[in-house]
Amino acid sequence: MHSFRKAVEARDAAAIEALLADNVEFTSPVAFKPYLGKAITAAILRGVMRVFEDFRYIKEIGAADSGDHALVFEATVAGKRITGCDFLHFDADGRIDEFMVMVRPLSGAQALAEAMAAQFEQIQAEAVAQIEREAATEERQAAGS
């Protein structure tokens, strides 16, 4: 079983975040432009964990030594059953640098869009707080050198 799958199934947000590259590009099934960076991607994934019910992966596609993997999932959002796929690309360091999600049917995608829109203020706040913490840590490290 893939390490990302294990982290998601364990609902381990810290382990999921640790698998993301700093420059990860996240392509949402309900947003036109991709989101760039670890902080916003991690915050979005935490939001998804809050809105998905009965989440489970049902299929894993990709050779163990490949940089590309697809994980097919099922979940419920606001009473709508969805099927989706996480398409992951791993960089040379084994971190996810491309993450694209697709879902169906349209009614499920619409329910997901509405649920995530309700989460987005919190998602943005979490991402900004993380960026500020990282900047403060870098400043302290630079001052100490």
Side-chain angles (χ1 to χ4, degrees), residues 73-125:
F73 64 84
E74 292 179 339
T76 303
V77 177
K80 301 283 185 187
R81 194 83 187 129
I82 65 170
T83 301
C85 192
D86 292 337
F87 295 97
L88 310 173
H89 179 268
F90 290 80
D91 65 15
D93 295 325
R95 297 235 172 3
I96 299 167
D97 62 355
E98 295 175 24
F99 191 135
M100 180 173 59
V101 181
M102 300 182 99
V103 297
R104 64 160 310 281
L106 179 58
S107 61
Q110 290 168 329
L112 178 59
E114 290 170 12
M116 290 303 291
Q119 293 282 320
F120 217 75
E121 188 174 320
Q122 181 177 350
I123 288 168
Q124 287 180 309

Side-chain angles (χ1 to χ4, degrees), residues 118-136:
Q119 293 282 320
F120 217 75
E121 188 174 320
Q122 181 177 350
I123 288 168
Q124 287 180 309
E126 288 176 11
V128 167
Q130 181 174 345
I131 291 167
E132 289 172 350
R133 281 191 306 274
E134 290 170 0

